[in-house]
Amino acid sequence: MTVDESGQLISCSMDDIVRYTNLTLQDYSGQGVVKLDVQPKCVIVGPGGYAVVTCIGQIVLPKDQRKCFSINSLGYEPEVVAAHPGGDMVAVGGVDGSVRLYSILGTTLKDEGKLLEAKGPVTNVTYSHDGAFLAMCDASKVVTVFSVADGYSENSVFYGHRVKIICLAWFPDNEHFASGDMDMMVYIWTLSYPETKVKIHDAHQLHHVSSLWLDEHMLVTTSHDASVKEWTITY
């Protein structure tokens, strides 16, 4: 799930549907549905009313609640997607251990032919709030950060997780970010000092951390243990 700039909740699910729900009205109508050909995996939004959805063997671009464009026969299996804050680029992480860049051209997507290598199958990817960095994590327990202005050159690599990482989120200062794994562990990283990290052991009981949200010094975690937790972070 994600929220766009007009205050709509955009969600995708195993029913092969992308659904738009107006949060301002606080009323679920069941309208605003984009039907997909195959099952979606991840959805993100960008400025200007567009969304990008990774599906089984397919990438779809809905805009203004209409399916405008899709890429089929990719040659790889897309898994996750992130949108650059500038609104002109998206990064798609694949099961093959690579991240590919696509530019937004009106109502179409163009493959830029740029390939960023991970250490294993990509499990999450996200841009910093200022768009300067792209972080990706993989099933090989590694987080890699790329510098956008330098042609997506590798900036830093972060090690410490013992099992597969599944979620990432940046702090608003664009210097710190958090990662959560299948072992109920959360790390807070400092971009300038890859060896420096804050550890949260057993963030949730019995189940992995499924998602993260961040404010200046506040971390919010969710999990399948039916709890939402807030953490105050100090460095």
Side-chain angles (χ1 to χ4, degrees):
M1 296 186 292
T2 186
V3 178
D4 70 8
E5 59 187 4
S6 66
Q8 293 184 109
L9 174 69
I10 302 177
S11 59
C12 67
S13 186
M14 294 175 68
D15 58 2
D16 302 350
I17 283 176
V18 174
R19 189 180 297 278
Y20 294 76
T21 303
N22 191 307
L23 297 181
T24 303
L25 298 177
Q26 296 185 357
D27 178 42
Y28 175 72
S29 66
Q31 304 300 311
V33 169
V34 175
K35 186 70 174 69
L36 303 176
D37 299 326
V38 290
Q39 182 179 312
K41 299 179 180 180
C42 181
V43 59
I44 53 92
V45 296
Y50 78 79
V52 178
V53 188
T54 53
C55 306
I56 297 175
Q58 192 179 71
I59 302 173
V60 178
L61 175 70
K63 188 172 184 179
D64 300 326
Q65 301 188 23
R66 293 186 300 108
K67 179 181 175 182
C68 297
F69 186 78
S70 64
I71 303 177
N72 306 306
S73 304
L74 292 168
Y76 73 99
E77 185 60 36
E79 192 70 21
V80 291
V81 59
H84 189 276
D88 58 348
M89 189 75 67
V90 295
V92 177
V95 178
D96 63 346
S98 298
V99 170
R100 292 166 174 83
L101 301 177
Y102 295 85
S103 55
I104 305 289
L105 301 175
T107 56
T108 63
L109 289 168
K110 177 188 175 185
D111 188 346
E112 291 297 315
K114 186 77 173 179
L115 203 66
L116 309 178
E117 297 293 342
K119 314 301 180 186
V122 180
T123 53
N124 214 316
V125 59
T126 181
Y127 281 96
S128 59
H129 296 280
D130 61 359
F133 301 101
L134 175 69
M136 69 176 177
C137 59
D138 57 56
S140 297
K141 304 166 284 188
V142 179
V143 180
T144 307
V145 175
F146 298 90
S147 177
V148 174
D150 295 331
Y152 287 84
S153 62
E154 187 176 290
N155 179 279
S156 302
V157 181
F158 300 81
Y159 300 93
H161 285 279
R162 297 174 296 178
V163 296
K164 182 171 73 173
I165 311 167
I166 55 175
C167 51
L168 286 172
W170 285 88
F171 277 90
D173 64 5
N174 304 300
E175 172 66 8
H176 299 89
F177 64 92
S179 57
D181 66 24
M182 295 288 294
D183 200 25
M184 302 168 287
M185 188 84 162
V186 174
Y187 284 110
I188 313 296
W189 306 93
T190 302
L191 186 61
S192 302
Y193 303 95
E195 300 301 321
T196 302
K197 53 184 174 286
V198 177
K199 299 180 183 180
I200 303 177
H201 296 274
D202 298 325
H204 291 267
Q205 295 297 316
L206 303 179
H207 287 278
H208 62 270
V209 181
S210 58
S211 59
L212 304 164
W213 292 273
L214 297 171
D215 203 340
E216 289 292 348
H217 289 282
M218 182 68 71
L219 168 70
V220 180
T221 63
T222 66
S223 179
H224 296 176
D225 64 356
S227 68
V228 177
K229 295 186 178 182
E230 294 184 352
W231 310 82
T232 300
I233 308 298
T234 55
Y235 308 112

